[in-house]
Amino acid sequence: DSRSVTPSTPLLGILGSRVGQDLPMRFSDQARRDRLARRHALHPVHRLDDVTDVARAMVALHATEPSTVHLAIAARLNEPTVDRVESALYEQRGLVKQLAMRRTLFAFARELLPAVWGSASARVALQQQLQLGRDLERHGLTDDGPGWVERGRAAVLDRLAGGHALSAARLRAELPAIDGRTVVAEGATRWQLTNVPFAPRLLTVLGAEHSIVRGRNEGHWRTSRPAWTLMDDWLGEQLSPLSSEEGYAHLVRQWLWTFGPGTEADLVWWLGSTKAAVRAALRDVQAVPVTLDSEDTGFVLPGDDTPDEPVEDWVALLPVLDPTLMGWKARDFYLDPALVPLLFDSNGNGGTTAWVNGRVVGCWVQDADGRVLVIESVPQPARHRAMLQAEAERLTAFLDGVVISNVYRSQLMKGEPLP
C-alpha cells in the first residue's frame, strides 16, 4: 500500500504523477485531514512501533517543553513507555535535541541533523551570535562583543573536551570568561529583571551552531536540566552539515511528505526562513502545485498529489506545541478560527489539544491525581466522547501518576470561561 511508505522511501512514481497537467489537482480539506491521520501516525491503525520512526514521520518534535517529546511520541506509538523515549534520547541517541527553526528547540532523528545544521540552525546561530555581541556592548560588559563571544566559545569547548558533560550553572561558575550579568528591560519597572546572565545565551549560540548539545537530563523527564557536552562526543562521530540549499531542500522534502499539501506561507513560517529560500527548495524538490479548498495554492511532492483513501473515525490527545498543531501557519482546515484564542497563548504557542477526525475539538488537562480529563470546546456526540475517554485513559496509563506542569497554558487549559 503506497500510503504506508515512510518518508525515506523514494516517492517519484509511487502514486502516479500528475506533473505537466494543465490544471492542478484539487485537494479538499477532508483529504488533508485523512492524510494527516495516516502520515502523522495518529489513527490507531497507523501508529508506529519505533520511537525514532515517530520523529522521522513528523520531521521534528517540539522540545521547548521537555514533556512534549514524550507525549507526542506516546500519542503515535504502539506500546509507549517513558523508558523507551528516554532510551532513544540518551542511550541509543537516535533522537537528538537541536535548536533550529524559529529559534525553537526540537528533537530530530540523528540522520536529519546535517540538513538542519546547514540550513535552519545555521540561520538561527548567526542571528543569535550577532545579537549577543551587540547586547554585550550595549550593556557595557565589553567594547568588543564578537571578541567576548569567541573567547567564551573557546573556554566552553575546552572545558567540555574529553567527554565532560556539565550543567549551565557549573560552566558559568567555573569559567570567568563567560561570566557577566545585566538588567533586562531597564526602566520598565513592571518587567525589569535583574542579574540576568549572558552565559545561557552563549550556550544557545553554541548549541545552534551544533558545537555542543543538550546531553543527559539531570532532572525528571518532565523538566529540563541538561548537561551540556560536545556534539561530536555525544554522537560518537563527526557529521558534516549540508549546504544551505541542500539542507533546506531536504527539510522541505520531508515537510511536504508529512504536512503536504501546504502553502509557501506555511513553509516560510514553519522554517522561520525567507520566501527566496523556500521557493528555491520547492524548485529543487520539483514540488507539484495543487488547489486547496481555500483556493490557495498548496504543494506536494512529485507523484504524491492523489488524495489518500478516507479513514475510519479516530481521536487523539496531543501535548503543548505538538508538531501536528504547529505544522502549518494556516490552520482553518483543522481548527475553527474562533477557537484560536482559547487554544493558543498571545505569542502563538499552542496548548494541549483534543482531536476528532482531524479537527481540534478541545483540550485536555489533569486532575490532582494525574487523571487525564478532556475539555470539549465543540460538543461531541456520545460515540466520539466515548472514544476521547478511552484515549484519556490510555494517556493516563502512560503518565502513571505524573502531573505535567506546562509553561504554555491556553485559556481553555486554565479553565477560563468560554465566550
Side-chain angles (χ1 to χ4, degrees), residues 97-153:
K97 292 184 178 182
Q98 171 68 42
L99 199 71
M101 298 83 73
R102 309 186 310 279
R103 198 167 57 86
T104 299
L105 185 66
F106 292 91
F108 293 94
R110 173 195 288 245
E111 65 268 17
L112 194 57
L113 291 174
V116 177
W117 291 345
S119 57
S121 291
R123 176 180 172 86
V124 170
L126 178 59
Q127 291 172 336
Q128 294 302 300
Q129 179 177 327
L130 293 175
Q131 187 61 53
L132 175 57
R134 289 193 292 264
D135 286 349
L136 285 162
E137 294 177 9
R138 182 166 64 90
H139 287 281
L141 268 74
T142 178
D143 57 5
D144 179 15
W148 188 98
V149 173
E150 288 304 315
R151 291 189 295 275
R153 174 187 285 108

Side-chain angles (χ1 to χ4, degrees), residues 305-342:
D305 59 347
T306 302
D308 296 356
E309 293 295 324
V311 296
E312 295 183 355
D313 284 0
W314 62 277
V315 303
L317 299 179
L318 303 183
V320 164
L321 298 173
D322 186 85
T324 297
L325 184 67
M326 306 296 293
W328 297 268
K329 181 179 182 181
R331 304 177 173 118
D332 290 6
F333 77 96
Y334 64 90
L335 176 61
D336 182 342
L339 297 181
V340 171
L342 301 179

